[in-house]
Amino acid sequence: MSGSINRQVVLVEKPSGKLGSEHFKMVEGAMPEPKDGEALLRVRYISLDAANRAWMHGATYRSAVEANSVMAGGAIAEVVSSKAPDLAPGDIVFGDTGWQEFAAVPAKHLTKMPKLEPMTHLLSVFGIAGLTAYFGLLEVGKPKEGETVVVSAAAGSVGSIVGQIAKIRGCRVVGIAGGADKCSWLTSELGFDAAVDYKDGAVFRALRAAAPKGIDVYFDNVGGDILEACIPQMNNYGRIACCGAISQYDGVPSAHGPRGVPG
Ligand SMILES: NC(=O)c1ccc[n+]([C@@H]2O[C@H](COP(=O)([O-])OP(=O)(O)OC[C@H]3O[C@@H](n4cnc5c(N)ncnc54)[C@H](OP(=O)(O)O)[C@@H]3O)[C@@H](O)[C@H]2O)c1
């Protein structure tokens, strides 16, 4: 492997406004050499997540991504060679490899994955999106049969799984998504009971119609105006799972929180 090229995507500059392709460049780096306790990985599938943008604002549950470094990100990767006792060539792992073809990563930061096809499912339903949806809904939201569950970014990777789990739990499920096509996918293919197209405007009224008995669980992926529309419609003892605030990630942070809510 030595002497091979490692193609990498580098974040050249942190965006001050909206993120664009001009903030990245492709470079050819050196092939990494694993140290003791590390494995050399060949990246198979990179997870492009909403959170990648949020990491550019500063440290969150992980350190901030900095300019002039390989863009950070989780991926499914195959072990090429290993200096760690529990990993062998051919093993499939998940870890933060960054956006590059090869990475040397400490074994303690890697999770061994089962071998299944399509391998992309390891990043979606069996990956962080699935875990986030499952535990966020069931442990934070605690939905009960017959309750109304509303989820935003409902056609996204987390939201689409949240809605399907809520249906399995016997809830009335309302998804909020942008555009008629996504809304019709939610109801016709995923089995949601209703969908609200927030791009039509008037989210508050559309939600009231879709959730006439009020909201018992709101799984919030977007924050901002949609969170603001949901809060007054929460039932007594309702639960909000604050998963993300994607409406606030790209562009200049507006520090826009829900208005009209007593502190
Ligand atoms: N993926 C994960 O593993 C993970 C883990 C933890 C937390 N989260 C959080 O969960 C949330 C959803 O992540 P995801 O991976 O499911 O994202 P995703 O699959 O990339 O979907 C994101 C969707 O959010 C919607 N959106 C974007 N801007 C919006 C705005 N201003 N207002 C309303 N909707 C907007 C868009 O759908 P429309 O076309 O419908 O507008 C977009 O397709 C994020 O806040 C993320 O930080 C994700």
mmCIF file of all heavy atoms in Angstrom, residues 132-151 161-174 215-219 234-235 237-241:
data_model
loop_
_atom_site.group_PDB
_atom_site.id
_atom_site.type_symbol
_atom_site.label_atom_id
_atom_site.label_comp_id
_atom_site.label_asym_id
_atom_site.label_seq_id
_atom_site.Cartn_x
_atom_site.Cartn_y
_atom_site.Cartn_z
ATOM 1 N N THR A 132 -30.379 7.144 16.718
ATOM 2 C CA THR A 132 -30.911 8.438 17.164
ATOM 3 C C THR A 132 -32.437 8.405 17.162
ATOM 4 O O THR A 132 -33.093 8.847 18.112
ATOM 5 C CB THR A 132 -30.407 9.555 16.233
ATOM 6 O OG1 THR A 132 -28.991 9.544 16.237
ATOM 7 C CG2 THR A 132 -30.912 10.915 16.661
ATOM 8 N N ALA A 133 -32.992 7.869 16.085
ATOM 9 C CA ALA A 133 -34.455 7.803 15.975
ATOM 10 C C ALA A 133 -35.028 6.877 17.053
ATOM 11 O O ALA A 133 -35.987 7.232 17.754
ATOM 12 C CB ALA A 133 -34.839 7.301 14.580
ATOM 13 N N TYR A 134 -34.435 5.718 17.198
ATOM 14 C CA TYR A 134 -34.968 4.698 18.116
ATOM 15 C C TYR A 134 -34.937 5.191 19.562
ATOM 16 O O TYR A 134 -35.960 5.206 20.255
ATOM 17 C CB TYR A 134 -34.138 3.418 17.961
ATOM 18 C CG TYR A 134 -34.648 2.250 18.759
ATOM 19 C CD1 TYR A 134 -35.580 1.355 18.219
ATOM 20 C CD2 TYR A 134 -34.206 2.022 20.061
ATOM 21 C CE1 TYR A 134 -36.057 0.275 18.967
ATOM 22 C CE2 TYR A 134 -34.681 0.948 20.803
ATOM 23 C CZ TYR A 134 -35.596 0.081 20.256
ATOM 24 O OH TYR A 134 -36.067 -0.974 20.988
ATOM 25 N N PHE A 135 -33.744 5.627 20.013
ATOM 26 C CA PHE A 135 -33.641 6.015 21.431
ATOM 27 C C PHE A 135 -34.264 7.385 21.682
ATOM 28 O O PHE A 135 -34.864 7.607 22.733
ATOM 29 C CB PHE A 135 -32.175 5.958 21.891
ATOM 30 C CG PHE A 135 -31.671 4.535 21.976
ATOM 31 C CD1 PHE A 135 -30.793 4.035 21.029
ATOM 32 C CD2 PHE A 135 -32.119 3.690 22.982
ATOM 33 C CE1 PHE A 135 -30.353 2.703 21.098
ATOM 34 C CE2 PHE A 135 -31.691 2.370 23.054
ATOM 35 C CZ PHE A 135 -30.812 1.878 22.108
ATOM 36 N N GLY A 136 -34.124 8.285 20.714
ATOM 37 C CA GLY A 136 -34.736 9.617 20.890
ATOM 38 C C GLY A 136 -36.246 9.511 21.012
ATOM 39 O O GLY A 136 -36.860 10.150 21.867
ATOM 40 N N LEU A 137 -36.836 8.679 20.166
ATOM 41 C CA LEU A 137 -38.296 8.552 20.227
ATOM 42 C C LEU A 137 -38.728 7.742 21.447
ATOM 43 O O LEU A 137 -39.576 8.179 22.230
ATOM 44 C CB LEU A 137 -38.836 7.888 18.947
ATOM 45 C CG LEU A 137 -40.353 7.705 18.974
ATOM 46 C CD1 LEU A 137 -41.066 9.061 18.912
ATOM 47 C CD2 LEU A 137 -40.841 6.810 17.846
ATOM 48 N N LEU A 138 -38.125 6.554 21.618
ATOM 49 C CA LEU A 138 -38.658 5.647 22.642
ATOM 50 C C LEU A 138 -38.226 6.031 24.060
ATOM 51 O O LEU A 138 -39.006 5.894 24.995
ATOM 52 C CB LEU A 138 -38.263 4.206 22.333
ATOM 53 C CG LEU A 138 -38.815 3.663 20.993
ATOM 54 C CD1 LEU A 138 -38.426 2.205 20.813
ATOM 55 C CD2 LEU A 138 -40.328 3.817 20.893
ATOM 56 N N GLU A 139 -37.009 6.561 24.227
ATOM 57 C CA GLU A 139 -36.551 6.869 25.600
ATOM 58 C C GLU A 139 -36.845 8.308 25.998
ATOM 59 O O GLU A 139 -37.081 8.585 27.163
ATOM 60 C CB GLU A 139 -35.052 6.565 25.733
ATOM 61 C CG GLU A 139 -34.795 5.083 25.570
ATOM 62 C CD GLU A 139 -33.583 4.557 26.323
ATOM 63 O OE1 GLU A 139 -32.757 5.359 26.788
ATOM 64 O OE2 GLU A 139 -33.484 3.324 26.417
ATOM 65 N N VAL A 140 -36.800 9.229 25.032
ATOM 66 C CA VAL A 140 -37.117 10.626 25.371
ATOM 67 C C VAL A 140 -38.605 10.889 25.129
ATOM 68 O O VAL A 140 -39.297 11.420 25.990
ATOM 69 C CB VAL A 140 -36.248 11.612 24.552
ATOM 70 C CG1 VAL A 140 -36.582 13.058 24.909
ATOM 71 C CG2 VAL A 140 -34.767 11.334 24.783
ATOM 72 N N GLY A 141 -39.082 10.510 23.958
ATOM 73 C CA GLY A 141 -40.488 10.782 23.609
ATOM 74 C C GLY A 141 -41.475 9.890 24.345
ATOM 75 O O GLY A 141 -42.583 10.305 24.650
ATOM 76 N N LYS A 142 -41.081 8.653 24.636
ATOM 77 C CA LYS A 142 -41.942 7.681 25.341
ATOM 78 C C LYS A 142 -43.380 7.682 24.787
ATOM 79 O O LYS A 142 -44.345 7.917 25.550
ATOM 80 C CB LYS A 142 -41.974 7.978 26.842
ATOM 81 C CG LYS A 142 -40.622 7.820 27.541
ATOM 82 C CD LYS A 142 -40.808 7.881 29.036
ATOM 83 C CE LYS A 142 -39.575 7.888 29.876
ATOM 84 N NZ LYS A 142 -38.353 7.331 29.452
ATOM 85 N N PRO A 143 -43.532 7.427 23.495
ATOM 86 C CA PRO A 143 -44.901 7.461 22.926
ATOM 87 C C PRO A 143 -45.752 6.296 23.400
ATOM 88 O O PRO A 143 -45.241 5.188 23.579
ATOM 89 C CB PRO A 143 -44.626 7.329 21.412
ATOM 90 C CG PRO A 143 -43.334 6.587 21.327
ATOM 91 C CD PRO A 143 -42.518 7.007 22.524
ATOM 92 N N LYS A 144 -47.023 6.607 23.623
ATOM 93 C CA LYS A 144 -47.953 5.537 24.020
ATOM 94 C C LYS A 144 -48.959 5.337 22.881
ATOM 95 O O LYS A 144 -49.244 6.272 22.123
ATOM 96 C CB LYS A 144 -48.713 5.930 25.289
ATOM 97 C CG LYS A 144 -47.825 6.136 26.480
ATOM 98 C CD LYS A 144 -48.682 6.423 27.734
ATOM 99 C CE LYS A 144 -47.881 7.099 28.817
ATOM 100 N NZ LYS A 144 -47.542 8.508 28.555
ATOM 101 N N GLU A 145 -49.503 4.137 22.811
ATOM 102 C CA GLU A 145 -50.478 3.817 21.775
ATOM 103 C C GLU A 145 -51.596 4.862 21.766
ATOM 104 O O GLU A 145 -52.072 5.256 22.838
ATOM 105 C CB GLU A 145 -51.056 2.423 22.058
ATOM 106 C CG GLU A 145 -51.854 1.896 20.897
ATOM 107 C CD GLU A 145 -52.285 0.456 21.117
ATOM 108 O OE1 GLU A 145 -51.770 -0.203 22.044
ATOM 109 O OE2 GLU A 145 -53.157 0.020 20.346
ATOM 110 N N GLY A 146 -51.969 5.300 20.586
ATOM 111 C CA GLY A 146 -53.068 6.255 20.456
ATOM 112 C C GLY A 146 -52.636 7.707 20.564
ATOM 113 O O GLY A 146 -53.426 8.608 20.271
ATOM 114 N N GLU A 147 -51.394 7.957 21.004
ATOM 115 C CA GLU A 147 -50.936 9.346 21.106
ATOM 116 C C GLU A 147 -50.568 9.894 19.725
ATOM 117 O O GLU A 147 -50.339 9.136 18.780
ATOM 118 C CB GLU A 147 -49.722 9.434 22.043
ATOM 119 C CG GLU A 147 -50.083 9.246 23.511
ATOM 120 C CD GLU A 147 -48.924 9.585 24.452
ATOM 121 O OE1 GLU A 147 -47.750 9.384 24.075
ATOM 122 O OE2 GLU A 147 -49.216 10.044 25.579
ATOM 123 N N THR A 148 -50.479 11.241 19.676
ATOM 124 C CA THR A 148 -50.079 11.893 18.428
ATOM 125 C C THR A 148 -48.606 12.259 18.495
ATOM 126 O O THR A 148 -48.176 12.943 19.428
ATOM 127 C CB THR A 148 -50.911 13.171 18.190
ATOM 128 O OG1 THR A 148 -52.289 12.795 18.049
ATOM 129 C CG2 THR A 148 -50.458 13.895 16.934
ATOM 130 N N VAL A 149 -47.850 11.758 17.507
ATOM 131 C CA VAL A 149 -46.419 12.056 17.394
ATOM 132 C C VAL A 149 -46.218 12.916 16.156
ATOM 133 O O VAL A 149 -46.668 12.569 15.064
ATOM 134 C CB VAL A 149 -45.600 10.751 17.254
ATOM 135 C CG1 VAL A 149 -44.134 11.054 16.974
ATOM 136 C CG2 VAL A 149 -45.729 9.903 18.514
ATOM 137 N N VAL A 150 -45.548 14.055 16.338
ATOM 138 C CA VAL A 150 -45.197 14.919 15.204
ATOM 139 C C VAL A 150 -43.687 14.901 15.059
ATOM 140 O O VAL A 150 -42.964 14.983 16.069
ATOM 141 C CB VAL A 150 -45.704 16.367 15.437
ATOM 142 C CG1 VAL A 150 -45.168 17.312 14.362
ATOM 143 C CG2 VAL A 150 -47.230 16.396 15.450
ATOM 144 N N VAL A 151 -43.198 14.765 13.833
ATOM 145 C CA VAL A 151 -41.746 14.780 13.601
ATOM 146 C C VAL A 151 -41.444 15.730 12.451
ATOM 147 O O VAL A 151 -42.140 15.741 11.435
ATOM 148 C CB VAL A 151 -41.207 13.352 13.324
ATOM 149 C CG1 VAL A 151 -41.921 12.660 12.191
ATOM 150 C CG2 VAL A 151 -39.705 13.372 13.073
ATOM 151 N N ILE A 161 -37.337 7.406 9.975
ATOM 152 C CA ILE A 161 -37.313 6.222 10.859
ATOM 153 C C ILE A 161 -38.164 6.479 12.099
ATOM 154 O O ILE A 161 -38.910 5.604 12.554
ATOM 155 C CB ILE A 161 -35.854 5.855 11.225
ATOM 156 C CG1 ILE A 161 -35.062 5.543 9.953
ATOM 157 C CG2 ILE A 161 -35.819 4.665 12.174
ATOM 158 C CD1 ILE A 161 -33.564 5.334 10.171
ATOM 159 N N VAL A 162 -38.076 7.706 12.634
ATOM 160 C CA VAL A 162 -38.906 8.070 13.797
ATOM 161 C C VAL A 162 -40.382 7.792 13.497
ATOM 162 O O VAL A 162 -41.098 7.154 14.291
ATOM 163 C CB VAL A 162 -38.723 9.570 14.144
ATOM 164 C CG1 VAL A 162 -39.791 10.046 15.121
ATOM 165 C CG2 VAL A 162 -37.336 9.820 14.704
ATOM 166 N N GLY A 163 -40.844 8.279 12.352
ATOM 167 C CA GLY A 163 -42.261 8.128 12.010
ATOM 168 C C GLY A 163 -42.674 6.672 11.894
ATOM 169 O O GLY A 163 -43.759 6.272 12.346
ATOM 170 N N GLN A 164 -41.794 5.863 11.323
ATOM 171 C CA GLN A 164 -42.145 4.440 11.137
ATOM 172 C C GLN A 164 -42.169 3.701 12.480
ATOM 173 O O GLN A 164 -43.023 2.838 12.701
ATOM 174 C CB GLN A 164 -41.167 3.796 10.161
ATOM 175 C CG GLN A 164 -41.339 4.344 8.735
ATOM 176 C CD GLN A 164 -40.301 3.777 7.782
ATOM 177 O OE1 GLN A 164 -40.451 2.678 7.279
ATOM 178 N NE2 GLN A 164 -39.239 4.537 7.552
ATOM 179 N N ILE A 165 -41.248 4.062 13.380
ATOM 180 C CA ILE A 165 -41.271 3.415 14.707
ATOM 181 C C ILE A 165 -42.541 3.841 15.459
ATOM 182 O O ILE A 165 -43.209 3.024 16.114
ATOM 183 C CB ILE A 165 -40.007 3.767 15.525
ATOM 184 C CG1 ILE A 165 -38.750 3.249 14.829
ATOM 185 C CG2 ILE A 165 -40.095 3.188 16.942
ATOM 186 C CD1 ILE A 165 -37.436 3.716 15.475
ATOM 187 N N ALA A 166 -42.881 5.120 15.331
ATOM 188 C CA ALA A 166 -44.091 5.604 16.020
ATOM 189 C C ALA A 166 -45.337 4.900 15.499
ATOM 190 O O ALA A 166 -46.264 4.597 16.263
ATOM 191 C CB ALA A 166 -44.209 7.118 15.866
ATOM 192 N N LYS A 167 -45.368 4.620 14.201
ATOM 193 C CA LYS A 167 -46.512 3.868 13.644
ATOM 194 C C LYS A 167 -46.549 2.463 14.240
ATOM 195 O O LYS A 167 -47.612 1.961 14.610
ATOM 196 C CB LYS A 167 -46.407 3.777 12.113
ATOM 197 C CG LYS A 167 -46.894 4.981 11.339
ATOM 198 C CD LYS A 167 -48.271 5.486 11.690
ATOM 199 C CE LYS A 167 -49.397 4.515 11.430
ATOM 200 N NZ LYS A 167 -50.711 5.067 11.909
ATOM 201 N N ILE A 168 -45.380 1.835 14.336
ATOM 202 C CA ILE A 168 -45.327 0.472 14.908
ATOM 203 C C ILE A 168 -45.861 0.499 16.336
ATOM 204 O O ILE A 168 -46.515 -0.449 16.786
ATOM 205 C CB ILE A 168 -43.873 -0.075 14.873
ATOM 206 C CG1 ILE A 168 -43.438 -0.312 13.431
ATOM 207 C CG2 ILE A 168 -43.735 -1.354 15.702
ATOM 208 C CD1 ILE A 168 -41.937 -0.569 13.255
ATOM 209 N N ARG A 169 -45.613 1.619 17.053
ATOM 210 C CA ARG A 169 -46.091 1.749 18.440
ATOM 211 C C ARG A 169 -47.565 2.146 18.524
ATOM 212 O O ARG A 169 -48.084 2.429 19.597
ATOM 213 C CB ARG A 169 -45.237 2.781 19.195
ATOM 214 C CG ARG A 169 -43.859 2.272 19.539
ATOM 215 C CD ARG A 169 -43.995 1.078 20.494
ATOM 216 N NE ARG A 169 -42.751 0.333 20.634
ATOM 217 C CZ ARG A 169 -41.961 0.359 21.699
ATOM 218 N NH1 ARG A 169 -42.272 1.090 22.730
ATOM 219 N NH2 ARG A 169 -40.877 -0.372 21.724
ATOM 220 N N GLY A 170 -48.237 2.239 17.369
ATOM 221 C CA GLY A 170 -49.682 2.502 17.379
ATOM 222 C C GLY A 170 -50.059 3.957 17.569
ATOM 223 O O GLY A 170 -51.151 4.266 18.067
ATOM 224 N N CYS A 171 -49.182 4.869 17.178
ATOM 225 C CA CYS A 171 -49.472 6.303 17.336
ATOM 226 C C CYS A 171 -50.066 6.885 16.047
ATOM 227 O O CYS A 171 -49.924 6.312 14.969
ATOM 228 C CB CYS A 171 -48.180 7.060 17.653
ATOM 229 S SG CYS A 171 -47.414 6.488 19.171
ATOM 230 N N ARG A 172 -50.715 8.057 16.228
ATOM 231 C CA ARG A 172 -51.052 8.862 15.041
ATOM 232 C C ARG A 172 -49.796 9.657 14.717
ATOM 233 O O ARG A 172 -49.252 10.351 15.584
ATOM 234 C CB ARG A 172 -52.233 9.792 15.354
ATOM 235 C CG ARG A 172 -52.515 10.757 14.200
ATOM 236 C CD ARG A 172 -53.751 11.596 14.402
ATOM 237 N NE ARG A 172 -53.862 12.584 13.315
ATOM 238 C CZ ARG A 172 -54.300 12.301 12.098
ATOM 239 N NH1 ARG A 172 -54.684 11.076 11.799
ATOM 240 N NH2 ARG A 172 -54.360 13.240 11.157
ATOM 241 N N VAL A 173 -49.332 9.570 13.469
ATOM 242 C CA VAL A 173 -48.047 10.172 13.124
ATOM 243 C C VAL A 173 -48.222 11.248 12.060
ATOM 244 O O VAL A 173 -48.811 11.005 11.002
ATOM 245 C CB VAL A 173 -47.056 9.096 12.625
ATOM 246 C CG1 VAL A 173 -45.726 9.746 12.237
ATOM 247 C CG2 VAL A 173 -46.825 8.040 13.700
ATOM 248 N N VAL A 174 -47.697 12.434 12.394
ATOM 249 C CA VAL A 174 -47.735 13.560 11.464
ATOM 250 C C VAL A 174 -46.302 13.961 11.151
ATOM 251 O O VAL A 174 -45.507 14.199 12.066
ATOM 252 C CB VAL A 174 -48.488 14.761 12.094
ATOM 253 C CG1 VAL A 174 -48.490 15.949 11.129
ATOM 254 C CG2 VAL A 174 -49.903 14.371 12.487
ATOM 255 N N ILE A 215 -50.524 17.695 20.328
ATOM 256 C CA ILE A 215 -49.300 16.897 20.122
ATOM 257 C C ILE A 215 -48.857 16.303 21.469
ATOM 258 O O ILE A 215 -48.717 17.016 22.453
ATOM 259 C CB ILE A 215 -48.168 17.793 19.561
ATOM 260 C CG1 ILE A 215 -48.604 18.475 18.256
ATOM 261 C CG2 ILE A 215 -46.896 16.980 19.355
ATOM 262 C CD1 ILE A 215 -47.634 19.564 17.768
ATOM 263 N N ASP A 216 -48.665 14.999 21.487
ATOM 264 C CA ASP A 216 -48.144 14.349 22.705
ATOM 265 C C ASP A 216 -46.618 14.248 22.665
ATOM 266 O O ASP A 216 -45.954 14.385 23.692
ATOM 267 C CB ASP A 216 -48.766 12.957 22.855
ATOM 268 C CG ASP A 216 -50.273 13.041 22.999
ATOM 269 O OD1 ASP A 216 -50.725 13.625 24.007
ATOM 270 O OD2 ASP A 216 -51.004 12.580 22.100
ATOM 271 N N VAL A 217 -46.082 13.944 21.487
ATOM 272 C CA VAL A 217 -44.624 13.852 21.342
ATOM 273 C C VAL A 217 -44.230 14.647 20.108
ATOM 274 O O VAL A 217 -44.751 14.403 19.012
ATOM 275 C CB VAL A 217 -44.157 12.385 21.159
ATOM 276 C CG1 VAL A 217 -42.633 12.344 20.984
ATOM 277 C CG2 VAL A 217 -44.583 11.518 22.332
ATOM 278 N N TYR A 218 -43.322 15.613 20.306
ATOM 279 C CA TYR A 218 -42.757 16.293 19.139
ATOM 280 C C TYR A 218 -41.279 15.930 19.061
ATOM 281 O O TYR A 218 -40.508 16.207 19.991
ATOM 282 C CB TYR A 218 -42.931 17.825 19.249
ATOM 283 C CG TYR A 218 -42.173 18.553 18.140
ATOM 284 C CD1 TYR A 218 -42.279 18.120 16.819
ATOM 285 C CD2 TYR A 218 -41.346 19.639 18.408
ATOM 286 C CE1 TYR A 218 -41.568 18.749 15.799
ATOM 287 C CE2 TYR A 218 -40.636 20.264 17.394
ATOM 288 C CZ TYR A 218 -40.751 19.814 16.098
ATOM 289 O OH TYR A 218 -40.037 20.413 15.086
ATOM 290 N N PHE A 219 -40.882 15.305 17.953
ATOM 291 C CA PHE A 219 -39.480 14.942 17.721
ATOM 292 C C PHE A 219 -38.908 16.043 16.843
ATOM 293 O O PHE A 219 -39.197 16.130 15.648
ATOM 294 C CB PHE A 219 -39.392 13.578 17.029
ATOM 295 C CG PHE A 219 -38.008 12.989 17.032
ATOM 296 C CD1 PHE A 219 -37.662 11.953 17.904
ATOM 297 C CD2 PHE A 219 -37.030 13.469 16.168
ATOM 298 C CE1 PHE A 219 -36.382 11.418 17.914
ATOM 299 C CE2 PHE A 219 -35.750 12.939 16.169
ATOM 300 C CZ PHE A 219 -35.423 11.908 17.043
ATOM 301 N N MET A 234 -48.602 21.589 22.163
ATOM 302 C CA MET A 234 -48.262 20.415 22.978
ATOM 303 C C MET A 234 -49.367 20.175 24.013
ATOM 304 O O MET A 234 -49.866 21.112 24.643
ATOM 305 C CB MET A 234 -46.942 20.623 23.725
ATOM 306 C CG MET A 234 -45.700 20.742 22.856
ATOM 307 S SD MET A 234 -45.353 19.324 21.797
ATOM 308 C CE MET A 234 -45.114 18.011 22.997
ATOM 309 N N ASN A 235 -49.715 18.924 24.198
ATOM 310 C CA ASN A 235 -50.675 18.565 25.250
ATOM 311 C C ASN A 235 -49.999 18.575 26.616
ATOM 312 O O ASN A 235 -48.768 18.495 26.709
ATOM 313 C CB ASN A 235 -51.238 17.162 24.974
ATOM 314 C CG ASN A 235 -52.167 17.168 23.768
ATOM 315 O OD1 ASN A 235 -52.800 18.186 23.478
ATOM 316 N ND2 ASN A 235 -52.239 16.049 23.062
ATOM 317 N N TYR A 237 -48.324 17.260 29.753
ATOM 318 C CA TYR A 237 -47.417 16.101 29.906
ATOM 319 C C TYR A 237 -46.843 15.612 28.577
ATOM 320 O O TYR A 237 -46.349 14.499 28.467
ATOM 321 C CB TYR A 237 -48.108 14.940 30.652
ATOM 322 C CG TYR A 237 -48.717 15.379 31.946
ATOM 323 C CD1 TYR A 237 -50.097 15.485 32.087
ATOM 324 C CD2 TYR A 237 -47.907 15.759 33.014
ATOM 325 C CE1 TYR A 237 -50.667 15.950 33.266
ATOM 326 C CE2 TYR A 237 -48.468 16.222 34.196
ATOM 327 C CZ TYR A 237 -49.834 16.307 34.320
ATOM 328 O OH TYR A 237 -50.390 16.761 35.486
ATOM 329 N N GLY A 238 -46.910 16.452 27.545
ATOM 330 C CA GLY A 238 -46.284 16.110 26.263
ATOM 331 C C GLY A 238 -44.766 16.139 26.398
ATOM 332 O O GLY A 238 -44.220 16.697 27.341
ATOM 333 N N ARG A 239 -44.095 15.482 25.465
ATOM 334 C CA ARG A 239 -42.630 15.399 25.491
ATOM 335 C C ARG A 239 -42.065 15.903 24.167
ATOM 336 O O ARG A 239 -42.613 15.586 23.106
ATOM 337 C CB ARG A 239 -42.160 13.938 25.689
ATOM 338 C CG ARG A 239 -42.363 13.371 27.074
ATOM 339 C CD ARG A 239 -43.779 12.862 27.333
ATOM 340 N NE ARG A 239 -44.170 11.741 26.509
ATOM 341 C CZ ARG A 239 -45.431 11.378 26.261
ATOM 342 N NH1 ARG A 239 -46.454 12.069 26.775
ATOM 343 N NH2 ARG A 239 -45.704 10.340 25.500
ATOM 344 N N ILE A 240 -40.954 16.667 24.261
ATOM 345 C CA ILE A 240 -40.253 17.116 23.045
ATOM 346 C C ILE A 240 -38.856 16.512 23.069
ATOM 347 O O ILE A 240 -38.100 16.706 24.029
ATOM 348 C CB ILE A 240 -40.160 18.658 22.970
ATOM 349 C CG1 ILE A 240 -41.560 19.278 22.919
ATOM 350 C CG2 ILE A 240 -39.343 19.085 21.760
ATOM 351 C CD1 ILE A 240 -41.583 20.799 22.866
ATOM 352 N N ALA A 241 -38.521 15.756 22.023
ATOM 353 C CA ALA A 241 -37.162 15.229 21.878
ATOM 354 C C ALA A 241 -36.388 16.227 21.023
ATOM 355 O O ALA A 241 -36.681 16.396 19.838
ATOM 356 C CB ALA A 241 -37.189 13.856 21.221
#
